[in-house]
Amino acid sequence: LAKTTQPISMDSYEGQEVNITCSHNNIATNDYITWYQQFPSQGPRFIIQGYKTKVTNEVASLFIPADRKSSTLSLPRVSLSDTAVYYCLVGDFMNTGFQKLVFGTGTRLLVSP
Amino acid sequence: DAMVIQNPRYQVTQFGKPVTLSCSQTLNHNVMYWYQQKSSQAPKLLFHYYDKDFNNEADTPDNFQSRRPNTSFCFLDIRSPGLGDAAMYLCATSREDSKNIQYFGAGTRLSVL
């Protein structure tokens, strides 16, 4: 499993764009990058996944450079309700064998008015 | 239209008194997971089912057992809860071909008195 490193915490204000970068230097060829969001007293929620370049959905964008050794989750125009812990996970999840999700410490995002 | 339902949301038990937590899903996913999440920590996988095939994590204590009588239901049994077992217990499901996209329940918060 590729080890991931994220900032422990980030602060932002409503309406700003937030970029959370995750480092995964030993990512393997078949590994995918997955991000989850967790609100207090709730289970994590899948946000986005990607393999390379850029992926965008209704919630966020995921930017992955060519070397794939890092990735950046971009949240456009955050609101107070985006205050949560964001986890970056990397693994070969598409093969027929089992690859568990290993949650790291995550990044605690605090959005203020 | 909750997809992964955990009952109860809060459970209080006494030290050493067996307790069972339940999880049901409407997604018809063949993989189900149980995680333990202690305060301010990341979720940690206890075990998972691939259909009826039970897979225990190496460091999951014997005190934790699980049952999956059918596709929809999965139970976590804690035979003799200790004070250190107080935590949030999260159930999740996924398809076998996209194990990184897991759907989590809201969790059961277990208190041990």
Side-chain angles (χ1 to χ4, degrees):
Chain A
L1 290 173
K3 183 179 177 181
T4 60
T5 303
Q6 305 174 231
I8 293 175
S9 64
M10 295 182 68
D11 294 320
S12 183
Y13 294 95
E14 282 189 293
Q16 289 189 334
E17 178 184 78
V18 171
N19 296 306
I20 305 174
T21 296
C22 179
S23 172
H24 28 80
N25 290 318
N26 60 337
I27 189 169
T29 302
N30 294 330
D31 286 350
Y32 275 72
I33 300 157
T34 307
W35 285 80
Y36 276 77
Q37 174 192 56
Q38 186 175 26
F39 299 115
S41 298
Q42 293 188 28
R45 181 175 78 110
F46 169 81
I47 301 177
I48 197 167
Q49 71 165 344
Y51 183 79
K52 61 180 179 180
T53 62
K54 177 184 174 182
V55 180
T56 297
N57 62 22
E58 65 278 4
V59 176
S61 294
L62 180 60
F63 297 92
I64 305 169
D67 66 4
R68 304 199 327 122
K69 293 183 183 300
S70 67
S71 58
T72 299
L73 176 73
S74 181
L75 305 173
R77 298 181 298 282
V78 294
S79 64
L80 298 178
S81 62
D82 292 315
T83 293
V85 178
Y86 292 83
Y87 294 100
C88 166
L89 302 100
V90 174
D92 182 6
F93 301 109
M94 304 305 176
N95 66 25
T96 55
F98 180 70
Q99 175 81 75
K100 66 180 179 182
L101 292 182
V102 178
F103 289 86
T105 53
T107 298
R108 291 184 177 275
L109 173 66
L110 175 63
V111 180
S112 300
Chain B
D1 49 335
M3 296 179 288
V4 181
I5 303 165
Q6 291 189 244
N7 285 306
R9 289 295 314 277
Y10 301 91
Q11 176 74 58
V12 180
T13 190
Q14 293 178 332
F15 182 94
K17 184 175 181 181
V19 65
T20 295
L21 310 181
S22 72
C23 176
S24 64
Q25 57 140 333
T26 60
L27 296 163
N28 204 34
H29 286 167
N30 57 341
V31 192
M32 292 188 77
Y33 311 78
W34 279 104
Y35 290 83
Q36 179 192 64
Q37 185 173 28
K38 296 188 176 181
S39 181
S40 300
Q41 296 184 19
K44 179 177 177 294
L45 183 66
L46 294 173
F47 26 60
H48 76 278
Y49 276 93
Y50 183 38
D51 292 321
K52 282 189 174 286
D53 183 22
F54 176 72
N55 298 272
N56 203 27
E57 290 298 300
D59 56 354
T60 298
D62 293 339
N63 198 26
F64 292 86
Q65 302 289 321
S66 184
R67 294 170 285 135
R68 188 179 184 187
N70 53 53
T71 301
S72 301
F73 287 88
C74 195
F75 300 97
L76 171 62
D77 300 310
I78 308 178
R79 294 192 296 189
S80 181
L83 298 179
D85 296 327
M88 174 77 87
Y89 290 89
L90 297 162
C91 173
T93 74
S94 77
R95 288 168 33 181
E96 62 184 276
D97 60 353
S98 53
K99 293 180 281 294
N100 60 324
I101 304 177
Q102 295 185 14
Y103 295 82
F104 283 79
T108 295
R109 184 167 296 282
L110 178 69
S111 299
V112 182
L113 304 180

